[in-house]
């Protein structure tokens, strides 16, 4: 029989209410391969240096002004981030693929992806929210929900099945797109 690759259980970090700082520092061969971080309520800072290729990360935080940063996304890494209510900042470096999602609750939130979005979802709650994709946007959905003047910036091309949906928003939408082609749509 052939040798089996060992499967590692996801690392889990939980913190209670209060202002917490959580750092996962592994990169390269030591990058996080599977992890769950529950930061609880409070003004939290979660910093994950890297998610390994094919890895998975789940981050949840409760109410509070949170900053969630992922330094590097390995190829085919999948993540779920739920930033809860508050004025949150979520920043990722790498490409977002299908199966990945970011959700923010009520508050003035800023989401930045330094890479290409080819699938998955970004969903914001009530408040004046901004989403910036500093690469192309070829698939997936950005949904801006609730009141507030929202903005979406895509530095590269918006193409393929990419969709921006602001139909549930009661404020103004400002969209700055490098170029548009294919069946990409903006619905407001």
């Amino acid at each position: 029989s052939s040798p089996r690759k060992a499967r590692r259980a996801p690392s889990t970090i939980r913190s209670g209410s209060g202002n917490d700082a959580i750092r996962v520092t592994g990169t390269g061969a030591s990058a996080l391969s599977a992890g769950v971080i529950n930061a609880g309520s409070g003004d939290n800072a979660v910093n994950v240096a890297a998610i390994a290729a094919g890895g998975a990360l789940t981050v949840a935080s409760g109410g509070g002004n949170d900053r969630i940063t992922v330094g590097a996304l390995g190829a085919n890494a999948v993540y779920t981030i739920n930033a809860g209510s508050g004025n949150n900042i979520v920043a990722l470096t790498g490409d977002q693929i299908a199966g990945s999602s970011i959700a923010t609750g009520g508050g003035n939130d800023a989401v930045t992806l330094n890479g290409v979005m080819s699938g998955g979802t970004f969903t914001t709650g009530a408040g004046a929210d901004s989403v910036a994709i500093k690469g192309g946007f070829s698939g997936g959905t950005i949904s801006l929900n609730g009141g507030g003047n929202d903005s979406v910036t895509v530095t590269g091309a918006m193409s393929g099945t990419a969709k921006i949906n602001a139909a549930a928003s009661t404020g103004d939408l400002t969209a700055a797109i490098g170029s548009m082609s294919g069946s990409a749509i903006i619905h407001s």
Side-chain angles (χ1 to χ4, degrees), residues 85-127:
S85 61
N87 299 328
N88 302 304
I89 298 171
V90 179
L92 302 110
T93 299
D95 297 337
Q96 176 168 316
I97 61 170
S100 295
S101 66
I102 295 174
T104 62
N108 301 328
D109 303 313
V111 177
T112 302
L113 176 67
N114 291 303
V116 173
M117 183 172 176
S118 62
T121 61
F122 288 176
T123 304
T124 65

Side-chain angles (χ1 to χ4, degrees), residues 128-173:
D129 302 313
S130 68
V131 175
I133 300 173
K134 299 185 177 186
F137 179 22
S138 61
T141 301
I142 297 171
S143 296
L144 306 161
N145 300 306
N149 296 325
D150 301 319
S151 69
V152 176
T153 303
V154 178
T155 303
M158 184 173 164
S159 61
T161 59
K163 181 178 179 181
I164 297 172
N165 184 359
S169 181
T170 57
D172 293 332
L173 170 65

Side-chain angles (χ1 to χ4, degrees), residues 3-41:
R4 292 184 182 195
K5 185 175 181 180
R7 297 185 85 187
R8 294 183 59 187
S11 300
T12 301
I13 299 170
R14 287 188 176 91
S15 64
S17 61
N19 302 334
D20 303 310
I22 299 168
R23 291 184 55 126
V24 179
T25 60
T27 60
S30 298
L32 182 68
S33 60
V36 176
I37 299 172
N38 186 339
S41 61

